[in-house]
Amino acid sequence: MSETNIQAQDAYGAIAALLGRDWTQQESPEHRLRFHGVSPRFDSPHKLTVAAASAIGAYALAIERWHHMATAQHQTVAIDWMQAASSLNPGHFQTQSGFSLPALSLLTELKADFYQTADDRWFFPIGSYPHLRDGVLEVLDCANTNAALAKAISRWNGDDLETVFAERKLPGVYARSQEAWLSHPQGRLLADLPAVEVIKIADSEPEPARANVRPLDAMRVLDLGHVIAGPVVARSLAEHGADVLRITSPAMQDPFRQTVDTNIGKRSAFLDFDAPTGLQAACDLIAGADVVVQSWRPGSMRNRGLGPQDAAAIRPGVIYVTVTAFGDEGPWGQRGGFEQLGQTVSGISVREGGKGKPRVVPPYLLNDYLTGYLGATGVMQALIRRAEEGGSYHVKVSLARTSMWVQDLGLLNDFDPTQPRRHFALELKPLLERRESAYGVLEQFPPVAQFSRTRAAWVLPPAPNGAHPAQWL
C-alpha cells in the first residue's frame, strides 16, 4: 500500500472516531470523502497532515449530512493533501498588496522560546500582548532579550515558576513528556474526555435543518472569540454561507495578521462587555443567534452573564462553543493560554526535540487551526442533534486536548530529530485566492474541503475590526 493510501486510511479512521459509531453506522467516511494530490512531508514525528485532513474532513462530512437533512440532496467532498497540510498555518502564505505579513510585532512581543530552569526543565513563557509581556518581565525582573530571559528563568524551579505564572494569570508552562502529562491531574482529566465534547445543557423544541442555496445560509453565528482557534470555528461556518458577526473589544484587538486571516467571511463590530449598554447589546445578539463562539479565559464570559447557561436561557436551542487552553474543569480549569502551550505541556514539543531542547512543530502552529476545525465539527454535530431532538448544547474543545488527539493518531517511524530542520513551507505550494478588501488586494488561503454541489467560499473579504454595526442583518 502506498504512503498516500496509508495516510488516507489513517484519516478515515480518525474521522470515524471523531464522528462516532452512531454516525458511521449510517455511512462510512470513505463513501462521501476522497483525498487527492501529493502529500508533503514535514520534519516531524507526528502525523500533521493526517491530523489536518481528519479535522477538516470530519467537519466537512458533518456539513454534508446537514445539507442532506435540509434538502434531501447528497454531495461528495474532496480534500487536497497539500491544502490540508498548509492549513495548519495559512497566515504564513497570505500577502497584502504583494507583501507578506509578520505574525506579531517584533517590537512588542515577548521573546518566547524554551528556557531551561534550575531543575533542568524547559519553560515556555508567552507574552503576545503588551500587558502579558510586561507581566512576565516583572515576574522575572529582566529585559526582553533571549539572554536575559534565559538567565532569569535559570534561577527558578519549573513547578514554582508555573505556579507564579498561574497566580498572576500569565501564560507559561514547562515541557512534559506525553507520559508525564498523562500522569498529571489535568492530563488525566482531559484523557478521559473526547477531543470534541458536545453536551446537552437545556431542553428546547427541535429546529429542523434549513438551507436555502448553501448549507448554512439560514444560520446566524455570533463570534465572540479572539486569536486564533475561536474565530476559526466561526470562519469555518462562514465558508458555507452562515451570517457571522464578529464582536471585538476596541481595547483588546487581535494582531493585524490574525485579524486579516480570521475575519474572512464575517462582519465585524465593537462592543465593550464591561459597559452596561455593551452587555445588553451582546445579550440581544445572542437572542438572535444559532451559534455563539467564545475563546476567552475560562469564567470570563460566565462572570459577565454571557456563559453557556446564560445563553441557553436567552436563546433556547443555542449552540455555545467554548475554546480553552487546558479545559474548563480540574486543577488547571481556570488557566488561560495560547497555541504553543498545548504543544509544550502535552508531550508534542518533547518528542519534536528528541533528546535535546524541546521544539514546537515545524509549522509553529498546530492547535489553533485544528481546534477551530474540531470546534466546527462539534457545532455541526450539535445542530444535527438540535434538529432531531431539540435542546441547547455546549461544545467544548481545548488546545491541550487537541495536541493529545494528534499524538493519539500515532507516530511516523523515519523521523530523525538530530537532522537539521527545513523551513516548514519549503515543500508547501498551496493554491491561494485573490480578493479585494479594505486592506487592498489580498492573497489568502481558500477553504480546504470542496463540495460537489455547493462550493465552499467566503462571500465577504476580511473587514477591519469595528467596521460594522453590532446588529444582525
Side-chain angles (χ1 to χ4, degrees):
M1 184 180 295
S2 70
E3 183 177 350
T4 301
N5 287 337
I6 293 172
Q7 282 190 318
Q9 291 308 308
D10 285 345
Y12 288 136
I15 292 168
L18 286 170
L19 295 177
R21 181 177 299 178
D22 291 344
W23 189 290
T24 53
Q25 281 181 339
Q26 297 182 45
E27 189 173 59
S28 65
E30 300 97 311
H31 193 64
R32 296 277 161 211
L33 171 65
R34 69 178 181 88
F35 299 100
H36 63 95
V38 177
S39 178
R41 292 181 62 87
F42 290 108
D43 289 334
S44 171
H46 297 101
K47 297 180 179 180
L48 303 181
T49 301
V50 169
S54 302
I56 295 169
Y59 159 61
L61 289 179
I63 288 282
E64 195 282 330
R65 180 162 294 186
W66 173 266
H67 186 252
H68 178 255
M69 291 173 63
T71 67
Q73 292 182 328
H74 270 305
Q75 302 194 63
T76 55
V77 182
I79 292 179
D80 183 283
W81 288 113
M82 179 68 71
Q83 298 298 111
S86 304
S87 74
L88 292 171
N89 191 349
H92 172 81
F93 303 99
Q94 69 181 355
T95 65
Q96 179 188 19
S97 301
F99 293 91
S100 299
L101 302 177
L104 291 168
S105 172
L106 300 178
L107 299 177
T108 60
E109 187 185 10
L110 186 80
K111 306 299 183 186
D113 197 356
F114 291 95
Y115 299 101
Q116 201 160 18
T117 63
D119 53 349
D120 293 326
R121 293 186 165 117
W122 291 95
F123 194 86
F124 197 100
I126 291 182
S128 302
Y129 294 91
H131 72 287
L132 297 177
R133 176 206 59 204
D134 293 346
V136 171
L137 297 177
E138 286 174 8
V139 166
L140 298 174
D141 191 22
C142 71
N144 186 19
T145 67
N146 293 103
L149 286 162
K151 184 176 180 180
I153 288 174
S154 71
R155 303 188 185 107
W156 287 81
N157 287 334
D159 286 313
D160 294 339
L161 193 54
E162 271 192 350
T163 299
V164 170
F165 267 55
E167 290 172 350
R168 301 201 181 191
K169 296 185 177 180
L170 299 171
V173 297
Y174 64 79
R176 292 166 169 82
S177 67
Q178 183 181 20
E179 295 75 21
W181 178 239
L182 291 175
S183 67
H184 186 279
Q186 195 67 26
R188 288 198 302 270
L189 183 150
L190 291 178
D192 289 334
L193 299 174
V196 183
E197 282 190 275
V198 181
I199 306 164
K200 188 174 184 178
I201 57 174
D203 293 323
S204 70
E205 292 298 314
E207 299 182 35
R210 294 174 296 137
N212 297 316
V213 177
R214 304 179 66 199
L216 299 182
D217 59 10
M219 290 291 143
R220 285 175 171 173
V221 179
L222 184 63
D223 179 1
L224 307 180
H226 74 134
V227 293
I228 291 176
V232 170
V233 175
R235 191 191 70 177
S236 299
L237 303 174
E239 288 179 17
H240 298 280
D243 176 16
V244 180
L245 178 61
R246 173 90 181 269
I247 299 296
T248 302
S249 166
M252 186 64 74
Q253 298 185 43
D254 289 348
F256 179 71
R257 183 165 113 169
Q258 281 76 11
T259 296
V260 172
D261 177 42
T262 61
N263 271 9
I264 307 175
K266 308 174 184 179
R267 292 176 298 115
S268 178
F270 281 146
L271 282 180
D272 179 2
F273 294 158
D274 293 324
T277 54
L279 194 60
Q280 183 57 55
C283 292
D284 293 343
L285 289 170
I286 290 173
D290 293 282
V291 180
V292 177
V293 183
Q294 74 88 16
S295 55
W296 294 90
R297 177 182 290 272
S300 177
M301 287 297 172
R302 185 178 64 249
N303 293 340
R304 290 171 168 81
L306 300 175
Q309 298 292 345
D310 305 301
I314 295 169
R315 197 293 195 202
V318 73
I319 312 302
Y320 191 100
V321 184
T322 297
V323 181
T324 59
F326 310 105
D328 60 357
E329 299 176 288
W332 285 23
Q334 297 303 306
R335 296 192 185 189
F338 293 92
E339 151 74 58
Q340 292 77 24
L341 301 191
Q343 298 183 47
T344 299
V345 78
S346 66
I348 290 275
S349 295
V350 166
R351 187 166 278 120
E352 289 284 335
K355 295 181 179 179
K357 179 180 176 180
R359 300 188 297 189
V360 296
V361 295
Y364 196 69
L365 302 182
L366 174 71
N367 302 306
D368 272 334
Y369 287 90
L370 286 183
T371 304
Y373 302 137
L374 293 174
T377 302
V379 169
M380 297 312 304
Q381 290 175 307
L383 285 171
I384 289 169
R385 285 185 60 183
R386 186 181 77 175
E388 294 173 340
E389 62 184 83
S392 298
Y393 293 87
H394 189 188
V395 176
K396 299 201 288 186
V397 287
S398 76
L399 305 178
R401 186 63 184 85
T402 295
S403 273
M404 296 166 71
W405 172 71
V406 171
Q407 293 174 95
D408 290 341
L409 298 177
L411 299 172
L412 301 172
N413 297 322
D414 55 354
F415 170 70
D416 183 355
T418 66
Q419 294 298 310
R421 175 180 276 182
R422 300 165 299 170
H423 189 276
F424 90 95
L426 189 63
E427 295 184 11
L428 298 181
K429 305 295 182 184
L431 176 70
L432 302 177
E433 59 186 13
R434 292 168 59 88
R435 57 173 57 88
E436 298 283 347
S437 77
Y439 303 108
V441 177
L442 300 174
E443 278 198 325
Q444 293 181 295
F445 206 71
V448 176
Q450 287 299 328
F451 290 63
S452 59
R453 287 182 179 270
T454 59
R455 178 173 175 265
W458 293 294
V459 174
L460 300 176
N465 291 332
H468 299 96
Q471 61 190 36
W472 294 115
L473 293 174

